[in-house]
Amino acid sequence: MTKVTGEESVTLDLLKGKMAEFAKERDWDQFHSPRNLLLALVCSCFFPSFDDSQVGEVGELSEIFQWKGEVPKGLPDWEEEEKVHLGEELSDVLLYLVRLSDICGIDLGKAALRKVGLNAIKYPVGIKDSSKEIQQHQ
């Protein structure tokens, strides 16, 4: 597998290729069905021997914030080790989403841009942060 240098621009296509290569090298394609990839995101029930806690990648990400209360932007009170751990868990979620979208034949970048456009229509600029106002537009 080719290594990523710090100078390389990271795109969804690059990640998709890296994940496909990673899975192929390990003969994991046989396990990468849409269902199995989704379950790996939300629970470890597909890989019970790896972790008995039944928490998937999204659960592992949630655990980082579980007892921290409200966290300010930029995480100013966090230790560097905590930020590195957060980056790893965010990456796990991203990589599973990229792999799932690839296996499903969905262009994730285009789908995300389309969704931003739909959200702009659903939540026009004039709406403030009031949850009551937002609910009225749904």
Side-chain angles (χ1 to χ4, degrees), residues 49-63:
S49 62
F50 290 163
D51 183 6
D52 293 332
S53 69
Q54 300 298 307
V55 175
E57 298 301 340
V58 173
E60 290 178 19
L61 178 59
S62 300
E63 285 176 343

Side-chain angles (χ1 to χ4, degrees), residues 37-53:
L37 291 167
L38 176 62
L39 289 177
L41 273 165
V42 296
C43 70
S44 66
C45 45
F46 180 64
F47 304 109
S49 62
F50 290 163
D51 183 6
D52 293 332
S53 69

Side-chain angles (χ1 to χ4, degrees), residues 90-129:
L90 285 166
S91 297
D92 284 341
V93 172
L94 174 63
L95 293 172
Y96 267 104
L97 285 174
V98 167
R99 184 69 174 149
L100 177 60
S101 68
D102 185 28
I103 294 298
C104 292
I106 301 296
D107 183 323
L108 189 57
K110 287 181 182 175
L113 288 175
R114 180 177 182 275
K115 185 63 176 177
V116 169
L118 291 172
N119 284 344
I121 294 166
K122 188 174 183 179
Y123 306 107
V125 174
I127 297 179
K128 302 292 181 213
D129 60 356

Side-chain angles (χ1 to χ4, degrees), residues 21-97:
E21 183 180 359
F22 185 88
K24 185 177 182 178
E25 290 173 341
R26 288 155 182 80
D27 196 28
W28 286 357
D29 284 329
Q30 61 185 321
F31 306 115
H32 285 190
S33 68
R35 174 190 171 272
N36 290 346
L37 291 167
L38 176 62
L39 289 177
L41 273 165
V42 296
C43 70
S44 66
C45 45
F46 180 64
F47 304 109
S49 62
F50 290 163
D51 183 6
D52 293 332
S53 69
Q54 300 298 307
V55 175
E57 298 301 340
V58 173
E60 290 178 19
L61 178 59
S62 300
E63 285 176 343
I64 294 172
F65 290 93
Q66 186 173 7
W67 305 113
K68 292 206 177 272
E70 197 57 45
V71 177
K73 291 180 182 180
L75 313 175
D77 300 327
W78 286 36
E79 301 292 328
E80 188 59 29
E81 181 178 303
E82 292 177 298
K83 291 180 181 182
V84 168
H85 183 222
L86 175 60
E88 291 169 354
E89 296 305 333
L90 285 166
S91 297
D92 284 341
V93 172
L94 174 63
L95 293 172
Y96 267 104
L97 285 174

